[in-house]
Amino acid sequence: MTFSSDDKIKQLQLLELEALKEIKKITDDNGITFFLRGGSVMGAVKYEGFVPWDDDVDIAIPRPHYEKFIKLMKENLSEKFWIASYSNDFESFCYFPRIFLREDVRKQNGISKNNLLGLCLIDCLPLDAAPKSRLSLIFYKIRVLYLRAIASTFTLNNEETVKTKKPIVYKVVKLLKVLRLNSKETQNQVYDKLDDIYKSNIYQDSEIIGTVTGSLSFKELFNSKVWGDGVKVPFEDTEMLIPEHFDTYLKKLYGQNYATEEPDYKKSHQEDRVH
């Protein structure tokens, strides 16, 4: 039987929803909060679930709960899912942890990989504080950008990574690799330095927070009131927490007309699957 692209996306969305609900059960039982992030917020607001043509889920965990979250996922996920995290001395090729479908389950279901490690279902990003002063914020951004570029040199030949980078960013990273500026450290050691920077600002006292480890980087920084305590909204057959002022959040990330406009090219991550 041949499955259409829509069938494959729906199959993946169902797996992601199952993993998302499992994560929610574990975090609820342990007093941890997480938010939907990025396009997943868009899906919740516009479609009460997944964006129909997309197969990507992102969540944001406030930094005070972040390390506990990773530990809980490692210890409590069912045998169907697993968490890849560099902080567990694992070569995950990514700073933030990701929830994967176990390989035996993936193969049994005949689903293609979307990552070198297998089938990634959910990206789990920390929700971090940024410096308050303008000067400190400038230095913060410079340090983060440099270390992120250095970390990228280790996966420069990874096709999946290359696809996500703008041409100018790719050229900069390639230059850093040619200059061997990554020769004294491993990728995980660079991630350790980034981790120290990300968690160096006190979350509870900060006026600016965001998922700066995400693809939109500093564009994802907001006044802490935008996130607030969050608001629960329908998401498929369950409820999920999204930023309290989600309209402000979505307008900044996706434009003033996000609620009425749709992209001309509706591209899913399924189209980039590797086998």
Side-chain angles (χ1 to χ4, degrees), residues 56 63 87 103 107 156 160 165 169 215 221-222 226 248:
D56 185 45
R63 175 58 73 169
S87 62
E103 274 295 275
K107 291 177 181 178
L156 191 61
E160 175 201 352
K165 296 192 181 303
V169 175
S215 58
L221 287 174
F222 291 86
V226 172
T248 301

Side-chain angles (χ1 to χ4, degrees), residues 146-201:
Y146 175 73
L147 288 172
R148 285 183 67 161
I150 292 294
S152 295
T153 63
F154 292 93
T155 51
L156 191 61
N157 296 325
N158 179 355
E159 184 179 354
E160 175 201 352
T161 303
V162 171
K163 286 179 180 177
T164 64
K165 296 192 181 303
K166 295 179 179 179
I168 184 64
V169 175
Y170 175 80
K171 290 178 180 178
V172 170
V173 173
K174 189 174 182 179
L175 176 62
L176 293 176
K177 186 172 183 178
V178 170
L179 294 175
R180 296 182 57 79
L181 295 181
N182 65 348
S183 61
K184 295 182 179 180
E185 298 171 304
T186 66
Q187 188 176 44
N188 281 5
Q189 287 172 331
V190 178
Y191 287 152
D192 279 336
K193 288 185 176 181
L194 279 167
D195 191 60
D196 288 339
I197 296 172
Y198 291 141
K199 65 186 182 185
S200 62
N201 301 288

